[in-house]
Amino acid sequence: MPSNTAAQSVTPPVRSPILTCILAWIVPGAGHLFVGRKGRALIIFVTVCVCFAVGLLMRGPFFEPSSAGDVLTRVVQYGGFIGDLANGVLYFAASWSGYGPPESAGHNPEYGSKFLVCAGLLNILAMVDAYEIAVREKE
C-alpha cells in the first residue's frame, strides 16, 4: 500500500508566486499585502518610499546603463540601473515626471544616488521574502 506522506508534505502555494513577485516589484509592499502580511507590507512600503524620497531630496541622479568605459564601470552602471529600476512605480513616476538632478558637483547627489539604489535593493529583498511566503518556504 503506497504511503501518502510524500504527497501530503508538498503543500500548494498560498498565492501565485509569479504574481506575488510582479506586485511586489510594481508597488513596494504589495506582494506582502497580496499574501496577507499587512504589517510587513506597511513596513516595506514606508521604508522603501522614505529611502527613495531621501534620495530624490538629495537630488541623486538615476544610473543609466552605458557601453562606454571599462568592465567595472559598466558593471557599476548596470547594477545601479537595476537597483533604480527595482523601485517599480516610484522610479517610473519620478522619471516620467521629468525628474533630473542638477549637474553640480558635491556630496549630496552622490549620497542621493546611493539612497535611490538602496531603496531598490530593499525592494528586491522584499520581493524574495514575499516569494518565499507565497510558496510556503517561510511563514
Side-chain angles (χ1 to χ4, degrees):
M1 182 177 243
S3 175
N4 289 338
T5 58
Q8 291 174 350
S9 67
V10 177
T11 57
V14 175
R15 298 285 183 154
S16 167
I18 295 171
L19 183 59
T20 302
C21 288
I22 291 171
L23 288 173
W25 169 64
I26 292 173
V27 177
H32 284 85
L33 191 63
F34 185 65
V35 294
R37 301 291 199 275
K38 294 177 184 176
R40 280 190 192 181
L42 180 64
I43 291 170
I44 290 166
F45 180 76
V46 169
T47 305
V48 172
C49 287
V50 166
C51 196
F52 190 82
V54 167
L56 291 181
L57 290 172
M58 294 180 85
R59 306 294 290 163
F62 289 131
F63 281 89
E64 295 178 7
S66 66
S67 59
D70 61 353
V71 175
L72 184 59
T73 302
R74 284 184 286 191
V75 168
V76 169
Q77 292 296 324
Y78 278 96
F81 177 70
I82 290 169
D84 286 339
L85 193 62
N87 286 302
V89 74
L90 300 173
Y91 170 77
F92 293 117
S95 62
W96 288 337
S97 68
Y99 170 75
E103 295 293 328
S104 64
H107 296 294
N108 280 352
E110 289 297 320
Y111 288 125
S113 68
K114 305 317 180 261
F115 270 98
L116 294 171
V117 171
C118 181
L121 294 177
L122 286 172
N123 200 31
I124 289 172
L125 289 174
M127 289 167 55
V128 171
D129 186 54
Y131 172 82
E132 288 177 345
I133 292 170
V135 296
R136 292 189 179 188
E137 289 180 10
K138 182 178 184 179
E139 284 300 319

